[in-house]
Amino acid sequence: MAKLNPLDTSRWTRDDFIREARLQADAIQRLNVWLRLGHSLVAVGFLLGYGGFYGGFGAGWGIVGVVALVLGALMSVVLKVGTTNAKKNVEALIGEAGVDLEELNRQKRAEAAAEGKKRAEARAGKVSRKMDGLTKAGEEFSGEVRARQAEEAPAKKRPHKKR
């Protein structure tokens, strides 16, 4: 096997580091798809194994299930370790480019919080308007009901209290 030579990044510009970080981030996303497939393989393997050995599927399906479970588990472990290390590498590349990830994350969280607050206020305004409409409708309805009850009910005479 040929020995790998380290890449000389001493002449890289900020844009080169950012471009490389983007490429690696895209690769990580593709690997995460395979990681989810590995998790699914574990789940399907477990179901087939259980159904084969304890259900009515047959022992052949149980063996297939165990093999799928083992392959899915190995695949998941390898990909999880690989993507975790790759994420650290991307963070190092971005740090080398002079980008402060913590500051960017703080800004994104602040923007998301402001957007969430706007949505909550808009939702509260909508609910308030609906409640106002319901209150007005309820008042009109209760007034109509009282009027109808007054018409239908005979006038009751109250005895005078003696003083």
Side-chain angles (χ1 to χ4, degrees):
M1 198 160 149
K3 184 179 176 187
L4 295 176
N5 295 326
L7 189 61
D8 181 23
T9 60
S10 61
R11 295 186 188 138
W12 281 21
T13 64
R14 181 177 191 266
D15 291 337
D16 293 332
F17 282 111
I18 291 174
R19 186 179 319 111
E20 181 65 24
R22 274 197 193 119
L23 291 172
Q24 288 190 21
D26 290 343
I28 292 169
Q29 288 177 349
R30 280 189 237 102
L31 288 174
N32 280 333
V33 172
W34 287 96
L35 178 62
R36 286 193 304 270
L37 181 67
H39 291 174
S40 298
L41 197 57
V42 168
V44 169
F46 175 79
L47 292 174
L48 285 175
Y50 187 82
F53 293 123
Y54 298 109
F57 291 179
W61 285 110
I63 293 169
V64 169
V66 169
V67 169
L69 187 136
V70 169
L71 288 176
L74 289 173
M75 180 177 161
S76 296
V77 167
V78 168
L79 288 171
K80 184 63 180 174
V81 169
T83 55
T84 302
N85 290 335
K87 287 177 186 176
K88 291 177 186 174
N89 189 38
V90 168
E91 288 173 3
L93 282 170
I94 291 176
E96 190 69 30
V99 177
D100 186 10
L101 283 179
E102 290 181 19
E103 180 61 30
L104 286 175
N105 287 335
R106 270 193 294 266
Q107 288 174 356
K108 286 183 181 180
R109 281 193 298 270
E111 290 170 3
E115 183 65 29
K117 188 176 178 182
K118 283 182 186 177
R119 287 182 184 163
E121 289 172 354
R123 220 176 292 124
K126 227 185 233 187
V127 170
S128 176
R129 286 191 300 275
K130 284 184 181 178
M131 292 305 294
D132 288 345
L134 291 175
T135 304
K136 289 176 186 175
E139 290 170 355
E140 291 171 7
F141 179 73
S142 64
E144 292 172 8
V145 169
R146 281 191 217 114
R148 192 175 314 126
Q149 288 173 346
E151 291 173 2
E152 294 173 358
K156 295 181 181 178
K157 293 185 178 180
R158 295 185 186 175
H160 292 292
K161 292 183 183 179
K162 293 183 181 178
R163 293 184 189 178

